[in-house]
Amino acid sequence: MNENNINENETGKSNFIKDIIREDLKTNKNDGVVATRFPPEPNGYLHIGHAKSICLNFGLAAEFSGTCNLRFDDTNPSKEETEYVDSIQEDVRWLGFDWEDRLFYASDYYEQLFDFAVLLIKKGKAYVCDLTADQMREYRGTLKLPGKESPFRNRSVEENLDLFNKMRSGEFKDGEKTLRGKIDMSSGYIVMRDPVLYRIQRTTHHRTGDAWCIYPMYDFAHPLSDAIEGITYSVCTLEFENNRPLYDWVVNEAEAAHKPRQIEFARLNLSYTVMSKRKLLELVTKNYVSGWDDPRMPTIAGIRRRGYTPESIRDFAERIGVAKADNMVDIALLEHCLREDLNKKAQRVMAVIDPVKVIIDNYPDGQVEYVEAVNNPEDENMGKREMPFSKELWIERSDFMEVPAKGYFRLSPGAEVRFKHAYYIKCVSVDKDSSGNIETIHCTYDPVTRGGWSEDGRKVKGTIHWVSAAQAVTAEVRLYEHLFIKENPDDLAEGEDYKANLNEDSLKIVENVFIEPFVKDFKAGDRFQFDRTGYFCIDKDSSEDKFVFNRTVSLKDSWGKTANKSA
RNA sequence: UGAGGCGUCGCCAAGCGGUAAGGCACCGGGUUUUGGUCUCGGCAUCCCAAGGUUCGAAUCCUUGCGCCUCAGCCA
């Protein structure tokens, strides 16, 4: 079956890009070299869509014994900042990828790029144009009508060379002149209608400072950066498909030694969130969220703070595949990947989020005993811990029903349940306040059921979690839900903005959550499963005297589902 | 009658002329000191549509239909 598979490192499922690479390897197209790159523009934080691209590019390199560079496409100083180049590196590393010594910047190539431009001018393939931005738009034509040639299109090579050098030395004002490729003003590919290659812009660049006042455009800098680095597969998203003829034109006319091949794939869309940098930036700057790393954001930084693991994201990237059809992946798949990973790894701990007091009437006053609790039933090696048990405990309000619904097998008057790892407990009575709210549940325990089982074969269907009141750690818990109420936030009524679909309940802060004392020794970033509730991690907002937990994702809840149905 | 892409289960996605993989979601059974996990079973006679070629087509051809992208001196 794998007889055509030349490479033994290949993992996971195949896709059309791997097919192309395999074919090239077979025909020795690039002398067996596989070189990719991840080329972000440092103008924002990376998001889960970038993660797909990162996993793809670094993954291809790993599978085919190649290399993947990290290159910042920093050709527009007015939008780019060092904060972003730092965060991007942190995020790629966190995802688990290593560019070793191959960290590059398009700005590293400005001098070479300039020389390539000079070569194009000398070949009569580029010219300096005086048209204003407005005029250029007019000359460009429309989608259906061809454009017309610039009156500056036929300047002599000498004049173009002179003008281009003067552009560089700052003799013209911003926007006064551009360098354009001389291609075809009637092309169906609008990008081929004499595209701008260089513009004049006096903005301090985050790396080159004020050394340059002309900056190359993406369509010029990107293909040549790829060529300079010897990239074999320049993988990008579908919207650049229209730019491919220009990509090839630039590489060919510049007579680059290496001729990379651009391959486009469909970018990731995730339900109940947005992926556009513009929108994410707006959510941050207008304070709809607390920052780029708000746990509700689809940014790598947000997802990380939320408690996701890099493994789960890589698994997700593998499962969604790589193709060319537009897609909208169900966020439930991402959550599934996370639960699967955390189920195997997370330390279990008992925490009561919506507490109600339980008093064990027949338990000695002031006595505290310690019961043994398994840290992770999926992994014996994670060992056991001791949990304090006493007369006064907290349990989840939803684990008691004075009048049990059909099918409900948790605590209710007269019913017996297991307090996990502790004892069988039976409810005997309930205290209510003046308005009828339950204040205290009185129970009895059966001393012979220590550990949570009995020899008499008594069957106890329900098992609930609890926390001993006196020793409980009090914490704040942040419960998150989808940032948007619609699967596709861009599904809008007439005149609406995507922000109309923001979920007002995406963050619910719960104070006074009681957690077993075991969590005391842990630190920000540590992950847990709160028994029967969900996966949580300690947030960086935690301090000496206050724990803050983020709910990463809840556990699946088939009872909640049926309960909702009958409600 | 501008150009370039894409259309396989609710959502992703294999398939590359030999008679529809897999995952998620969903539904149902079993196990269970998490109504979690695990486990068993169900879930496209059909591949945008209609013609055609072929012994045989989701895969080839034709013609339609639908959706996406492109008119920044952004990337």
Side-chain angles (χ1 to χ4, degrees):
Chain A
M1 186 183 199
N2 279 343
E3 52 204 10
N4 292 329
N5 187 348
I6 323 180
N7 194 297
E8 292 176 358
N9 293 335
E10 277 194 64
T11 54
K13 53 186 184 186
S14 193
N15 59 52
F16 76 100
I17 299 178
K18 292 187 190 180
D19 290 344
I20 291 171
I21 294 176
R22 234 177 268 121
E23 187 60 29
D24 288 350
L25 254 20
K26 205 183 296 175
T27 60
N28 206 33
K29 186 185 170 198
N30 300 306
D31 301 318
V33 172
V34 173
T36 60
R37 99 269 94 115
F38 174 62
E41 183 191 12
N43 69 342
Y45 277 62
L46 258 27
H47 53 63
I48 183 84
H50 291 110
K52 175 182 180 181
S53 176
I54 292 165
C55 291
L56 212 208
N57 279 295
F58 279 93
L60 289 172
E63 288 181 37
F64 293 98
S65 307
T67 53
C68 179
N69 301 347
L70 173 61
R71 181 178 73 236
F72 288 98
D73 245 333
D74 54 350
T75 55
N76 185 0
S78 64
K79 291 185 177 178
E80 299 152 7
E81 296 174 23
T82 305
E83 176 192 352
Y84 298 132
V85 344
D86 294 341
S87 74
I88 288 169
Q89 294 185 59
E90 181 186 0
D91 290 347
V92 176
R93 259 188 230 110
W94 178 76
L95 278 172
F97 298 103
D98 185 5
W99 54 87
E100 298 172 325
D101 58 348
R102 300 179 309 280
L103 171 63
F104 303 117
Y105 295 80
S107 52
D108 289 341
Y109 312 132
Y110 280 176
E111 199 62 51
Q112 290 175 77
L113 261 16
F114 182 84
D115 292 340
F116 276 123
V118 168
L119 173 63
L120 255 50
I121 293 172
K122 286 179 176 166
K123 291 172 70 178
K125 298 292 185 179
Y127 63 97
V128 172
C129 184
D130 299 4
L131 254 29
T132 63
D134 285 342
Q135 289 172 320
M136 205 178 290
R137 191 177 313 117
E138 279 172 38
Y139 276 72
R140 190 152 35 227
T142 70
L143 291 178
K144 296 193 175 184
L145 298 173
K148 56 187 181 195
E149 297 183 349
S150 162
F152 307 99
R153 199 175 202 255
N154 295 310
R155 292 216 251 228
S156 69
V157 169
E158 293 66 35
E159 187 181 6
N160 281 323
L161 246 20
D162 178 53
L163 257 18
F164 188 48
N165 276 114
K166 285 176 174 164
M167 279 171 65
R168 175 177 182 170
S169 56
E171 294 190 31
F172 305 116
K173 294 194 295 265
D174 285 12
E176 191 177 336
K177 284 178 167 47
T178 57
L179 180 74
R180 294 227 261 166
K182 192 170 179 177
I183 311 181
D184 176 7
M185 288 309 293
S186 63
S187 174
Y189 288 97
I190 292 184
V191 80
M192 295 296 269
R193 321 241 260 226
D194 288 12
V196 171
L197 269 23
Y198 269 89
R199 77 284 215 183
I200 303 173
Q201 188 184 126
R202 286 175 178 74
T203 304
T204 301
H205 186 280
H206 68 102
R207 294 189 77 240
T208 60
D210 297 314
W212 295 82
C213 66
I214 59 171
Y215 291 96
M217 299 290 291
Y218 165 87
D219 282 312
F220 186 71
H222 193 83
L224 293 175
S225 298
D226 283 342
I228 289 167
E229 292 176 18
I231 298 302
T232 53
Y233 303 99
S234 181
V235 179
C236 64
T237 45
L238 246 29
E239 65 271 25
F240 292 101
E241 211 152 19
N242 293 314
N243 298 52
R244 193 181 344 132
L246 179 52
Y247 183 103
D248 292 336
W249 183 89
V250 169
V251 165
N252 286 325
E253 295 301 344
E255 297 169 28
H258 295 279
K259 297 201 178 358
R261 200 236 267 216
Q262 175 175 305
I263 301 172
E264 312 85 9
F265 71 97
R267 68 186 320 148
L268 169 68
N269 292 299
L270 240 201
S271 60
Y272 299 103
T273 191
V274 293
M275 220 67 97
S276 105
K277 278 192 180 181
R278 195 209 103 223
K279 288 173 186 158
L280 294 177
L281 179 64
E282 185 180 19
L283 293 175
V284 172
T285 56
K286 294 188 180 169
N287 297 313
Y288 290 98
V289 295
S290 65
W292 286 103
D293 68 345
D294 185 300
R296 292 167 292 179
M297 291 282 275
T299 50
I300 305 295
I303 285 170
R304 173 172 57 233
R305 186 173 173 187
R306 174 85 169 242
Y308 272 75
T309 60
E311 291 84 356
S312 67
I313 292 170
R314 282 189 247 122
D315 181 36
F316 173 72
E318 179 63 31
R319 293 198 199 207
I320 58 177
V322 177
K324 296 192 71 165
D326 290 333
N327 61 77
M328 170 73 80
V329 176
D330 191 339
I331 197 165
L333 177 59
L334 213 212
E335 296 171 343
H336 168 83
C337 293
L338 207 230
R339 290 191 187 103
E340 188 174 273
D341 191 32
L342 256 22
N343 177 49
K344 289 177 294 192
K345 299 179 187 165
Q347 163 74 49
R348 260 112 252 223
V349 123
M350 292 201 210
V352 177
I353 295 173
D354 182 17
V356 61
K357 178 70 70 69
V358 163
I359 294 179
I360 311 294
D361 291 341
N362 62 341
Y363 196 85
D365 288 344
Q367 177 173 314
V368 178
E369 67 177 302
Y370 286 82
V371 296
E372 198 171 60
V374 171
N375 286 332
N376 185 345
E378 305 294 320
D379 183 3
E380 266 188 32
N381 296 323
M382 288 182 70
K384 297 176 177 176
R385 67 184 186 284
E386 305 262 272
M387 281 183 75
F389 181 88
S390 63
K391 189 181 182 77
E392 292 195 23
L393 311 159
W394 296 107
I395 67 166
E396 213 72 62
R397 206 161 268 280
S398 60
D399 283 338
F400 178 81
M401 271 186 111
E402 192 171 17
V403 183
K406 57 183 181 309
Y408 186 83
F409 51 73
R410 273 112 93 155
L411 200 61
S412 60
E416 186 172 55
V417 300
R418 170 166 40 235
F419 273 32
K420 191 167 184 174
H421 303 312
Y423 293 98
Y424 285 1
I425 306 286
K426 190 178 282 184
C427 168
V428 293
S429 67
V430 169
D431 290 344
K432 297 180 182 177
D433 63 16
S434 53
S435 43
N437 299 312
I438 294 170
E439 279 188 324
T440 310
I441 300 168
H442 288 274
C443 298
T444 56
Y445 83 117
D446 180 348
V448 306
T449 59
R450 191 168 200 280
W453 64 284
S454 69
E455 286 179 339
D456 61 7
R458 218 187 319 167
K459 59 174 192 328
V460 174
K461 181 81 168 155
T463 298
I464 68 177
H465 57 99
W466 50 275
V467 170
S468 175
Q471 297 79 12
V473 169
T474 304
E476 171 184 318
V477 165
R478 298 173 180 171
L479 303 174
Y480 301 103
E481 277 171 34
H482 300 150
L483 228 200
F484 290 87
I485 53 175
K486 283 193 181 175
E487 194 172 300
N488 176 8
D490 289 319
D491 174 16
L492 300 165
E494 197 58 30
E496 267 186 348
D497 177 89
Y498 75 98
K499 295 189 292 300
N501 286 328
L502 240 10
N503 178 8
E504 291 179 5
D505 302 317
S506 60
L507 167 60
K508 185 180 168 198
I509 296 176
V510 183
E511 301 285 355
N512 298 318
V513 166
F514 299 119
I515 309 176
E516 61 168 296
F518 184 74
V519 297
K520 274 179 186 161
D521 299 329
F522 293 83
K523 60 181 194 310
D526 288 339
R527 305 179 181 93
F528 302 88
Q529 180 192 112
F530 285 180
D531 267 306
R532 302 205 308 131
T533 307
Y535 295 99
F536 294 74
C537 72
I538 301 178
D539 189 76
K540 65 177 186 183
D541 283 351
S542 297
S543 62
E544 285 287 306
D545 39 49
K546 185 183 182 186
F547 267 112
V548 176
F549 282 83
N550 294 314
R551 180 172 67 192
T552 311
V553 67
S554 62
L555 247 33
K556 289 214 287 186
D557 179 15
S558 58
W559 165 248
K561 204 181 279 181
T562 59
N564 277 334
K565 264 180 207 166
S566 51

